[in-house]
Amino acid sequence: DVEREYVKAEAYGLRGFYYYLLVNLYGEPYHYNKTSLGVPLKLTAGLVENGLVRNTVEEVYLQIVKDLKVSAELFEKNPKRVGNYRLNVTSVYILLSRVYLYMEQWENAIKAADRAIETAEGLTNYTLVSSSTFYMPTYAHSEVEWRYGNGQLKYGYIPSRELLSKYSDNDCRKKFWFNASGKTTKKTPDYSEGMGPTNTLRISEAYLNRAEAYAQMDKASEALADLNDLRRCRIVGYEDISIENVTDILDEVRLERRLELCMEEGFRWFDIKRFGLSVTHRYIDSEGTEREYVLESNSLLYALPIPYDAIERNYKLKQNPR
């Protein structure tokens, strides 16, 4: 019975996670247009004839919350486990706090983050790590709750000069996550443990989710407490900041999200999208001609087009406006 409950908890948690990724890729932001089209909800294993229509963004989000809550309830009944590709009680609450944050349900986001932090082993204090070799995707770090995926290691990806300039000289993340040539090593596995998963879900996100929710609720001291707790574990000699204006605190939290979660799956692009930011990309072709492309704030183009092969298999799918 225990094993069956674990498998069921993992299945519900993963389904919620997958739908979170899908609806944020192919749908508009929840707070901006939740009645717009998301993705079809396929909730049974049986074959369906004649295709499925796309559910609304709101309907998909409600299903995500439902799945994650069922998963959390099942995990709560049994001792916590940690292992590659395996969700656990803490990781599900982190995901739930993220989803509530995107839905702008601030109190629920805080409650989910509270439970995540209560069930976690705590933040890893980078300032106390003495090794010159740092591998992030490892359970040796107390904050790592879930290792998953064998995606690109991003050896060739170089962060922008602007991003690197946001890290202070005493910020251990700059030292541990980027090599001398500037390339990211954030997803490089510790090969002594074998070629394992390269993605991680970490408790640091729960602090950021909670801090953002507190700031949105005008709870300045609580938001600053989470922000300072995280930074003390990242920056050598860090001194707590004190800000009274919640708008400024929110800016600090959003900056910290960018620094802490860069190069990780399902964060920066989705944050840009939900914050309603615009993106400018300068492209230089093989002949040296430079072109500038601008993705305007809240553009419909933030919702990726439905793949044509998916439409060929399901004629009821409606393409996103372009």
Side-chain angles (χ1 to χ4, degrees):
D1 288 342
V2 171
E3 292 303 316
R4 187 158 43 243
E5 287 182 346
Y6 265 104
V7 171
K8 189 175 181 180
E10 291 170 9
Y12 272 104
L14 287 171
R15 187 170 72 177
F17 177 61
Y18 297 149
Y19 270 120
Y20 153 79
L21 293 175
L22 286 169
V23 76
N24 277 282
L25 288 172
Y26 297 109
E28 295 182 50
Y30 179 93
H31 73 282
Y32 181 68
N33 189 5
K34 63 184 178 183
T35 61
S36 62
L37 293 179
V39 294
L41 286 172
K42 179 71 169 67
L43 305 177
T44 64
L47 295 176
V48 177
E49 295 183 2
N50 302 321
L52 290 167
V53 298
R54 295 172 65 183
N55 292 81
T56 67
V57 169
E58 182 177 31
E59 289 170 337
V60 177
Y61 265 87
L62 292 177
Q63 184 62 48
I64 293 170
V65 169
K66 182 178 179 181
D67 282 352
L68 293 178
K69 289 176 71 174
V70 171
S71 176
E73 290 170 3
L74 289 167
F75 276 131
E76 289 275 20
K77 295 169 61 178
N78 298 291
K80 178 180 174 180
R81 299 178 184 178
V82 175
N84 290 347
Y85 308 108
R86 295 299 181 90
L87 286 168
N88 59 30
V89 64
T90 307
S91 54
V92 168
Y93 278 116
I94 294 173
L95 292 174
L96 193 56
S97 71
R98 185 194 306 181
V99 172
Y100 279 135
L101 192 73
Y102 281 33
M103 298 173 74
E104 299 189 347
Q105 295 186 15
W106 313 127
E107 290 187 1
N108 285 333
I110 290 169
K111 290 178 182 178
D114 285 344
R115 189 60 186 144
I117 293 168
E118 289 170 359
T119 57
E121 294 183 31
L123 292 165
T124 303
N125 192 338
Y126 285 18
T127 69
L128 301 179
V129 177
S130 58
S131 173
S132 59
T133 304
F134 182 93
Y135 301 103
M136 198 177 87
T138 172
Y139 290 117
H141 300 314
S142 59
E143 66 189 36
V144 174
E145 290 294 338
W146 183 33
R147 294 175 62 195
Y148 67 97
N150 274 326
Q152 294 182 7
L153 300 182
K154 295 185 171 65
Y155 288 127
Y157 285 69
I158 298 177
S160 66
R161 288 189 293 271
E162 181 207 5
L163 174 62
L164 285 178
S165 70
K166 302 294 184 183
Y167 294 96
S168 68
D169 292 337
N170 291 333
D171 196 322
C172 296
R173 293 172 294 194
K174 187 175 183 178
K175 173 178 66 175
F176 289 144
W177 292 352
F178 307 100
N179 61 24
S181 61
K183 296 179 181 179
T184 180
T185 60
K186 196 174 184 184
K187 299 180 75 173
T188 305
D190 184 351
Y191 292 108
S192 66
E193 298 180 355
M195 181 58 187
T198 57
N199 296 327
T200 58
L201 188 71
R202 295 171 296 125
I203 197 60
S204 57
E205 184 196 341
Y207 282 85
L208 290 167
N209 293 345
R210 191 169 68 178
E212 183 177 336
Y214 275 137
Q216 293 285 7
M217 296 179 67
D218 293 335
K219 295 187 175 182
S221 60
E222 291 88 342
L224 278 176
D226 281 337
L227 184 63
N228 286 324
D229 283 347
L230 177 59
R231 286 179 172 176
R232 278 196 299 272
C233 291
R234 298 294 187 258
I235 302 172
V236 175
Y238 177 74
E239 296 183 3
D240 289 358
I241 60 172
S242 179
I243 305 174
E244 294 183 0
N245 188 301
V246 291
T247 300
D248 293 338
I249 294 173
L250 188 59
D251 289 341
E252 288 289 323
V253 172
R254 289 178 172 179
L255 169 62
E256 202 62 29
R257 286 186 70 86
R258 187 179 180 190
L259 299 180
E260 178 69 15
L261 304 172
C262 68
M263 307 291 181
E264 297 186 43
E265 180 181 65
F267 287 108
R268 182 58 182 167
W269 173 250
F270 293 169
D271 277 351
I272 288 173
K273 185 173 177 176
R274 72 187 178 94
F275 294 157
L277 304 179
S278 63
V279 178
T280 300
H281 178 68
R282 294 177 178 85
Y283 174 76
I284 302 176
D285 62 22
S286 58
E287 298 179 354
T289 303
E290 181 175 316
R291 296 181 178 87
E292 183 175 283
Y293 300 89
V294 179
L295 185 58
E296 299 291 348
S297 173
N298 296 321
S299 168
L300 292 175
L301 295 177
Y302 272 106
L304 300 183
I306 303 296
Y308 288 113
D309 60 346
I311 293 177
E312 289 176 354
R313 290 170 171 79
N314 181 4
Y315 71 92
K316 288 188 177 180
L317 286 178
K318 184 178 180 180
Q319 184 58 277
N320 282 326
R322 292 183 59 81

